[in-house]
Amino acid sequence: LKCDYCTLQEDVERGVWEVDWEGFDAAMASGVKAVVLNTPHNPTGKVFLEWELQRIFAAIKKADAWLITDDIYEHILFQHTHLCPLALDPEMASRTVLVNSISKAISATGWRVGWTISPVAMTDTIRAVHDQMALMAPNAQQFATIRFLGLSDSHFKEDLPNKYRDRRDFIVPELQKLGFGVSVPEGAYYAFCRYQQVPKLSALGPVEACKFLVEEVGVAVVPGDNFYGKSDDGQKYLRLAFCRSMDDLQEAIRRLAKLAE
């Protein structure tokens, strides 16, 4: 299985992430069989807009390809709306596999309990692969999923996004004060930071910067090049997660303040 990657590019002046449409079109012309779409996006926090999705859908239909969605952050939105492909374009129903999980929506990221929604013709193949990889979810996690499915709409539409919006609104300005460059995420719970303007990190590659932050500062982050398949852009980024409690985030900022000393 050969994968190609369509790189998102940051417009620093506008503070947004954009699709490399030239790269996307080239990939689609090369005989793509399926497109994997993640929105809200990890690690950038981008939420794909309707016109972007419609452009992607048109290319998929033209190529007679499939769409596989990664909807894991669909309820963690700070602006815009999560748009379901089947609602936007009913013609996509016959060529779309929706993939989701409980893990982000109930803050249980180690519980890999999820589901797919697909055309009937695909279900036997999906079940066969799943049977060989996982067989079944642990019993306790199945009961947790039943409880999850009974949560009120307010949990998904208000409680969840509001909780992470508060954390985003705290940590992004604090990171910017310390010299990190951050385009404010529109969804998910990551700050994808340009770090080379931070003096104590400027001469370090992303992996070395991560090691320095763990060993000298006591804050764990993820190197940006971990998220790039064919671009060197990841060399200038680190990913920070703001899913932890506000107390933890405040402590992280206190420790990161050592970078300014």
Side-chain angles (χ1 to χ4, degrees):
L1 182 64
K2 181 183 178 182
C3 296
D4 200 352
Y5 299 91
C6 178
T7 304
L8 295 182
Q9 299 172 329
E10 185 181 20
D11 185 328
V12 174
E13 294 299 321
R14 295 172 53 226
V16 297
W17 288 86
E18 299 179 324
V19 177
D20 172 12
W21 291 112
E22 183 177 345
F24 174 77
D25 292 338
M28 294 304 298
S30 68
V32 166
K33 299 299 183 184
V35 174
V36 178
L37 175 66
N38 172 220
T39 180
H41 184 258
N42 173 13
T44 66
K46 174 181 173 59
V47 176
F48 282 72
L49 302 176
E50 181 174 353
W51 74 266
E52 294 173 310
L53 295 174
Q54 294 287 16
R55 194 184 189 295
I56 291 169
F57 298 164
I60 289 172
K61 289 187 286 186
K62 182 178 180 180
D64 192 23
W66 284 79
L67 171 67
I68 302 170
T69 72
D70 176 354
D71 292 334
I72 195 74
Y73 301 102
E74 67 170 324
H75 299 298
I76 306 177
L77 291 161
F78 314 125
Q79 57 200 83
H80 309 310
T81 302
H82 180 75
L83 301 170
C84 176
L86 310 189
L88 274 182
D89 185 348
E91 292 181 6
M92 290 298 294
S94 62
R95 59 177 73 250
T96 297
V97 178
L98 304 177
V99 182
N100 213 326
S101 165
I102 71 168
S103 62
K104 309 299 184 183
I106 61 169
S107 303
T109 53
W111 286 26
R112 304 297 185 178
V113 182
W115 56 87
T116 64
I117 301 174
S118 73
V120 172
M122 284 292 290
T123 57
D124 285 346
T125 300
I126 292 171
R127 288 176 184 272
V129 173
H130 179 269
D131 187 59
Q132 297 302 314
M133 295 183 66
L135 187 59
M136 63 173 285
N139 185 263
Q141 295 180 12
Q142 294 186 46
F143 280 102
T145 302
I146 293 172
R147 179 69 179 271
F148 163 84
L149 294 172
L151 293 174
S152 67
D153 285 351
S154 64
H155 170 77
F156 302 102
K157 295 179 179 179
E158 299 170 16
D159 299 346
L160 195 67
N162 289 343
K163 175 176 71 173
Y164 289 119
R165 180 184 292 107
D166 289 344
R167 296 174 188 182
R168 178 202 67 170
D169 291 348
F170 164 72
I171 201 160
V172 168
E174 293 297 326
L175 290 170
Q176 291 170 334
K177 290 176 187 176
L178 294 173
F180 292 94
V182 190
S183 289
V184 180
E186 302 162 342
Y189 49 55
Y190 305 107
F192 203 46
C193 304
R194 284 168 274 113
Y195 71 91
Q196 293 173 331
Q197 296 303 310
V198 179
K200 290 187 178 180
L201 302 178
S202 61
L204 303 177
V207 173
E208 290 74 20
C210 287
K211 291 180 178 178
F212 177 85
L213 288 173
V214 168
E215 295 170 357
E216 304 297 329
V217 179
V219 174
V221 301
V222 178
D225 57 354
N226 186 56
F227 301 97
Y228 285 78
K230 62 179 184 181
S231 168
D232 292 332
D233 287 354
Q235 295 293 321
K236 57 189 177 185
Y237 291 101
L238 300 175
R239 191 196 74 175
L240 289 82
F242 51 87
C243 51
R244 300 294 293 268
S245 70
M246 188 65 81
D247 286 344
D248 284 346
L249 298 181
Q250 291 170 343
E251 175 61 19
I253 291 299
R254 187 189 69 78
R255 296 183 184 188
L256 288 169
K258 297 176 184 177
L259 296 172
E261 295 175 355

